[in-house]
Amino acid sequence: MAALPAKMQAVLLRQGGYSADAIPASEVRAVDRWLEQAEIDLPRPGPGQVLIKVIASMVNPSDLAFIQGGYGQPRVAGAPAGFEGVGTVVDGRGFLARRLRGQRVSFVVGPQGSGAWAEYALADAATVIRLRRDLRDEDAAALIVNPLTAAAMVDLVPEGGAFIASGAASQLGKLMAPLARERGKRMIGLVRRDAPAESLRALGATAVLNETSENFAAELAETLKAERPTVFLDCVAGSISARVFKAMGKDSRWVIYGKLTPEPPEILEPGTLIFMRKKIEGFWLVTWLAQTGLLRKLRTIKQVQARFADGRWHTDISARVPLRQVVSDLPKALQQCDGKVMITVQ
Amino acid sequence: MAALPAKMQAVLLRQGGYSADAIPASEVRAVDRWLEQAEIDLPRPGPGQVLIKVIASMVNPSDLAFIQGGYGQPRVAGAPAGFEGVGTVVDGRGFLARRLRGQRVSFVVGPQGSGAWAEYALADAATVIRLRRDLRDEDAAALIVNPLTAAAMVDLVPEGGAFIASGAASQLGKLMAPLARERGKRMIGLVRRDAPAESLRALGATAVLNETSENFAAELAETLKAERPTVFLDCVAGSISARVFKAMGKDSRWVIYGKLTPEPPEILEPGTLIFMRKKIEGFWLVTWLAQTGLLRKLRTIKQVQARFADGRWHTDISARVPLRQVVSDLPKALQQCDGKVMITVQ
């Protein structure tokens, strides 16, 4: 293996801590307030860590919330951004780390760590995923955050039950639709345009409703009556979310995992929490990873790789942005619909 | 035992089903829209039921919500109102019912049944509570709804933990304060006047805050910092509730068990549901009774009787209204603060 360089290119966080001013990804017109490109020292692995030479990394909604200070972890100014990617292990400390050397792996970094939007990144050796050879880099770069979230959230739906998913034209929605169908669970997708409806149905959604349609309230009522969903997986948490939850029946759970609108949602009929046992809660992959047993996690990850390898899942890349052009080109790439932005590093 | 009469006096529901127009008890100025006094046939016990000659019955917040159609069960027009009371078993069907004959019992009726605001009422034999002789009728008439709610809700608070209770000047608040202290749990009461604060502290509350005080926000912040409550038992579900929940820390639960304000509360920072694992749910005694094991229920009921018998708990009666004067006199009686209204039947 070639000697490691002393310096690397990276996209760095300019601000530390939190901020209350986060805006939705689709409205981001410039990122230079939060990000800068720079050459910095190569990070050094601590005990149990591996150093990964990054091939490609992803731009997830959680990245965009995090760089703006609107995610559940404080930023560290001067650290590279980016949670998730694929690369080759080139160094490491500890037995497991040494065994991984030379392997292609999918990885996530801790938010206080050395991020994935860089030529090299650090990750815990115990958390990286050794990859099957037949897995494309595009799928390997997006193997953890969205797929595990999709798998864990579809697991919240009772056997044979139905659920509602807002923002369903997203990559996450496209992962959940076929998974739900395969597990015998019915997905009702909420979208904001007609275009993605047909492809979501083809992927496996039982019903797709356009929130902006004049007939939305009537269509929702009819669909709820037919499908009786008890789980609402919601990345919007706005006024439409509040109305959807109000319309749902007994024992429903409103599971909020993102916040795409600025105004706070209302609890429209608190009495339904009392008399219909309805609940409102959150979902965060970090909490799921902390609370789920290792065997179940490993089984889920194995299933995820198999789904991508055999084509049941597919990561739609809408734009590729080279690492050195992230600060200038990311906003434009984000405005493309219904796909993911990938950062190409080498 | 004397022969039973064919007819009885009762306070009847005038409307069936639900209504969205419920108003808080303190604002009720007349009840003749919802209730009427009449002579009706004596109800007949079905299999497993007992007929109870009522001594006294209670007026609980749930009764006032129910007669207005704002409770979680549909009304039956022409059926007697009233959920809870004390009386003597005079008839019954089945082995258990026959064994109870002549006994003084506390009882609750099902909402579709024959209510407690009447000279005679029906209850399931398996759910009535045989009373210790040393228990006052005032305490026996209010033995189930509030005390079991207090015991079950204080049980939601972790060992050694703290909780917030809104509307804490209520009878329920007065039951929770000493129970919490005895169990090593710290109660932070929220009230709307200064007057009840001192007596709530004497009963066992760790802190009592006046929501209408200018310094409320600062006092709340300070108290949250010192006590770190993780449960918010809330009978108000209004805008102050939303602010209190927002200010609470990680893993907090907002448990709504009543709705004293008309406007819907907001979820002020949905991100805290995701990143701080905060949850919003309801509490209803009917659900608790259905989901809790018989042994635990019996143990709880035994403890409740003991607490009233030895004076650790005490029902404060602020007004007694004879059964025949309920329709005319109940509104005035409800305007008295900090106590319960009891309906005297014989």
Side-chain angles (χ1 to χ4, degrees):
Chain A
M1 201 167 286
L4 294 173
K7 299 277 184 182
M8 69 172 187
Q9 290 293 321
V11 176
L12 307 181
L13 299 165
R14 295 186 60 186
Q15 302 172 4
Y18 294 103
S19 162
D21 304 326
I23 56 175
S26 61
E27 288 166 28
V28 168
R29 295 288 171 269
V31 294
D32 55 352
R33 222 171 97 201
W34 308 301
L35 298 175
E36 65 187 338
Q37 154 100 24
E39 189 180 68
I40 59 170
D41 287 347
L42 217 62
R44 290 175 174 214
Q49 287 189 321
V50 286
L51 180 70
I52 295 159
K53 186 171 189 197
V54 179
I55 299 167
S57 41
M58 292 310 297
V59 180
N60 286 311
S62 49
D63 288 306
L64 295 163
F66 179 65
I67 65 175
Q68 297 183 59
Y71 202 62
Q73 309 260 352
R75 295 169 293 181
V76 177
F83 287 141
E84 179 177 40
V86 59
T88 308
V89 175
V90 291
D91 198 4
R93 287 179 60 189
F95 175 72
L96 183 56
R98 281 193 299 274
R99 280 198 52 195
L100 287 164
R101 209 175 278 205
Q103 303 258 6
R104 188 175 67 128
V105 296
S106 291
F107 67 95
V108 284
V109 302
Q112 268 110 5
S114 179
W117 298 0
E119 290 182 309
Y120 293 84
L122 296 178
D124 285 336
T127 65
V128 304
I129 299 172
R130 272 182 274 192
L131 296 170
R132 296 163 55 140
R133 281 169 185 255
D134 52 359
L135 208 66
R136 302 183 310 152
D137 281 336
E138 287 88 331
D139 293 325
L143 195 73
I144 301 176
V145 175
N146 272 326
L148 284 188
T149 300
M153 291 202 309
V154 168
D155 268 356
L156 296 178
V157 182
E159 292 290 324
F163 66 102
I164 303 174
S166 65
S170 65
Q171 184 62 21
L172 194 61
K174 291 184 214 162
L175 297 177
M176 288 196 291
L179 182 63
R181 179 169 57 185
E182 197 175 298
R183 303 234 169 124
K185 298 174 180 182
R186 303 181 307 286
M187 169 167 153
I188 301 157
L190 305 184
V191 295
R192 298 183 56 78
R193 295 171 301 115
D194 281 329
E198 201 173 329
S199 67
L200 262 178
R201 274 194 210 95
L203 281 170
T206 299
V208 183
L209 308 180
N210 186 337
E211 293 173 3
T212 66
S213 146
E214 270 181 30
N215 304 323
F216 176 64
E219 284 170 9
L220 177 68
E222 201 177 309
T223 309
L224 292 181
K225 202 173 162 190
E227 303 296 343
R228 306 213 166 275
T230 55
V231 175
F232 176 22
L233 304 174
D234 182 27
C235 58
V236 181
S239 61
I240 291 179
S241 310
R243 282 164 46 202
V244 168
F245 182 60
K246 178 189 164 189
M248 291 175 73
K250 278 184 184 170
D251 294 298
S252 299
R253 294 164 72 181
W254 179 3
V255 181
I256 296 174
Y257 70 93
K259 177 81 184 96
L260 294 181
T261 52
E263 89 278 7
E266 288 179 322
I267 305 173
L268 288 175
E269 287 193 5
T272 62
L273 275 62
I274 306 173
F275 304 121
M276 296 169 73
R277 299 177 299 275
K278 292 166 81 167
K279 287 187 170 68
I280 309 171
E281 63 202 281
F283 177 88
W284 191 21
L285 187 61
V286 173
T287 304
W288 184 85
L289 290 169
Q291 293 179 345
T292 303
L294 183 62
L295 271 179
R296 184 159 159 226
K297 277 188 281 197
L298 290 174
R299 200 176 56 221
T300 306
I301 287 163
K302 197 175 167 192
Q303 287 168 353
V304 162
Q305 280 209 66
R307 295 188 76 85
F308 279 114
D310 66 19
R312 280 177 295 166
W313 272 352
H314 180 87
T315 303
D316 289 326
I317 303 295
S318 56
R320 286 177 164 73
V321 179
L323 181 67
R324 287 169 192 257
Q325 290 160 35
V326 167
V327 178
S328 58
D329 294 359
L330 183 57
K332 197 173 154 221
L334 289 173
Q335 284 166 54
Q336 304 197 33
C337 286
D338 304 342
K340 300 291 292 181
V341 177
M342 188 167 87
I343 297 174
T344 53
V345 182
Q346 41 178 310
Chain B
M1 199 167 285
L4 294 172
K7 299 277 183 180
M8 70 171 187
Q9 290 293 321
V11 176
L12 307 181
L13 299 165
R14 294 187 61 187
Q15 302 173 3
Y18 295 103
S19 162
D21 305 327
I23 56 176
S26 61
E27 287 166 29
V28 169
R29 296 287 171 269
V31 294
D32 54 352
R33 223 172 95 203
W34 308 301
L35 298 176
E36 65 186 338
Q37 156 99 23
E39 189 179 66
I40 58 169
D41 287 347
L42 217 61
R44 288 175 175 214
Q49 286 190 321
V50 286
L51 180 70
I52 295 160
K53 187 171 189 197
V54 180
I55 299 168
S57 41
M58 292 310 297
V59 180
N60 287 311
S62 50
D63 289 306
L64 295 163
F66 178 66
I67 64 175
Q68 297 183 61
Y71 202 61
Q73 307 261 351
R75 295 168 294 180
V76 176
F83 287 141
E84 179 178 41
V86 60
T88 308
V89 175
V90 292
D91 198 5
R93 286 177 61 187
F95 175 72
L96 182 56
R98 284 193 299 273
R99 278 198 54 195
L100 287 164
R101 208 174 278 206
Q103 303 256 7
R104 190 176 66 130
V105 296
S106 291
F107 66 96
V108 285
V109 301
Q112 269 110 4
S114 178
W117 298 0
E119 290 181 308
Y120 293 83
L122 296 179
D124 284 336
T127 65
V128 304
I129 299 172
R130 272 183 273 193
L131 296 170
R132 297 164 53 141
R133 284 173 183 254
D134 52 0
L135 207 68
R136 301 183 311 153
D137 281 336
E138 286 89 331
D139 293 325
L143 195 73
I144 302 176
V145 176
N146 272 326
L148 285 188
T149 301
M153 291 203 308
V154 168
D155 269 356
L156 297 177
V157 182
E159 292 288 325
F163 66 101
I164 303 175
S166 64
S170 67
Q171 183 62 22
L172 194 60
K174 291 184 213 162
L175 297 177
M176 289 196 290
L179 181 63
R181 178 167 59 185
E182 202 174 292
R183 303 236 168 122
K185 298 174 179 182
R186 303 181 308 287
M187 169 167 153
I188 301 158
L190 305 184
V191 295
R192 298 184 56 78
R193 296 171 301 118
D194 280 331
E198 202 173 328
S199 67
L200 262 179
R201 275 194 210 93
L203 281 170
T206 299
V208 183
L209 308 181
N210 186 336
E211 294 173 3
T212 66
S213 146
E214 270 181 30
N215 304 322
F216 175 65
E219 284 171 6
L220 177 67
E222 203 176 308
T223 308
L224 292 181
K225 203 173 162 189
E227 304 296 342
R228 305 213 166 274
T230 55
V231 175
F232 177 22
L233 303 174
D234 181 27
C235 58
V236 181
S239 62
I240 291 179
S241 309
R243 282 163 47 202
V244 168
F245 182 60
K246 178 189 164 191
M248 291 174 74
K250 277 184 185 171
D251 295 297
S252 298
R253 294 164 72 180
W254 178 4
V255 181
I256 296 174
Y257 69 94
K259 178 80 184 92
L260 295 180
T261 52
E263 88 278 7
E266 288 179 324
I267 306 173
L268 288 175
E269 288 194 3
T272 63
L273 274 61
I274 306 172
F275 304 121
M276 296 169 74
R277 298 177 298 274
K278 291 167 81 166
K279 286 187 170 68
I280 309 172
E281 63 200 284
F283 177 88
W284 191 22
L285 187 60
V286 173
T287 305
W288 184 85
L289 289 170
Q291 294 180 344
T292 303
L294 184 63
L295 273 179
R296 184 158 159 226
K297 277 189 278 195
L298 290 174
R299 199 174 58 223
T300 307
I301 287 163
K302 197 175 167 191
Q303 287 167 353
V304 162
Q305 280 208 63
R307 297 187 75 86
F308 278 114
D310 66 18
R312 280 176 295 167
W313 272 353
H314 180 88
T315 303
D316 290 325
I317 303 294
S318 57
R320 284 177 166 75
V321 179
L323 180 67
R324 286 169 192 259
Q325 290 160 35
V326 167
V327 178
S328 57
D329 294 359
L330 183 58
K332 198 172 154 220
L334 289 172
Q335 284 167 54
Q336 304 196 31
C337 287
D338 302 344
K340 300 292 292 182
V341 177
M342 189 167 87
I343 296 174
T344 52
V345 183
Q346 42 178 309

